[in-house]
Amino acid sequence: MRSAEQILRDAEVIAVVGASRESWKPAHSVPLQMMRHGWRIIPVNPFADEVFGVPTVPTLADIGEPVDLVDIFRPAADAVEIVRQAVAIQAPAVWLQSGIVSAEARRIATEAGLDYVEDRCLAVERAVAGLSRQP
């Protein structure tokens, strides 16, 4: 299993499930920071047409292109189904944001061979490692 830092180093396209239009929420500010540092973000939100100026898709199955990482900003109870969807689209890694922990989601991901991170913030890990995809 790759480390959190290696997952970020390898990722170019990140699907963010639960991306928010509300600028004060981490589900908005974290993916926006990742965009500013060069990652391409695909917001997944069935209740919004766009987030941070990017068109949304309602589910992971609607993306229609490979993603390198599925980042989850949903309650732990929702994480199990989202991880199943990540397995179905053949995402190589899933990441549950700070405060989100699910033993069942971890089991599903690891049994399917996906890299798995939980209870950690994408933006914090990016900053600590000094990572950027900007030229």
Side-chain angles (χ1 to χ4, degrees), residues 12-117:
E12 293 180 23
V13 179
I14 303 172
V16 180
V17 179
S20 177
R21 294 174 287 195
E22 306 293 335
S23 62
W24 55 272
K25 289 186 174 181
H28 181 92
S29 59
V30 169
L32 185 59
Q33 182 187 136
M34 298 305 288
M35 283 178 62
R36 289 180 176 154
H37 285 277
W39 281 266
R40 188 159 74 84
I41 300 297
I42 300 173
V44 180
N45 183 328
F47 306 109
D49 294 328
E50 63 87 22
V51 177
F52 20 83
V54 177
T56 62
V57 294
T59 69
L60 289 174
D62 296 309
I63 292 176
E65 67 178 276
V67 300
D68 302 307
L69 173 61
V70 173
D71 185 30
I72 301 173
F73 277 97
R74 298 291 304 142
D78 297 346
V80 172
E81 180 54 33
I82 296 165
V83 170
R84 284 189 180 114
Q85 293 172 21
V87 170
I89 67 164
Q90 300 178 342
V94 292
W95 189 300
L96 281 61
Q97 281 294 140
S98 297
I100 307 170
V101 175
S102 171
E104 180 67 3
R106 176 183 287 276
R107 183 191 64 75
I108 292 165
T110 54
E111 284 181 3
L114 276 66
D115 293 315
Y116 184 87
V117 176

Side-chain angles (χ1 to χ4, degrees), residues 121-133:
C121 178
L122 210 61
V124 169
E125 297 297 324
R126 184 218 58 78
V128 167
L131 298 176
S132 180
R133 297 202 65 80

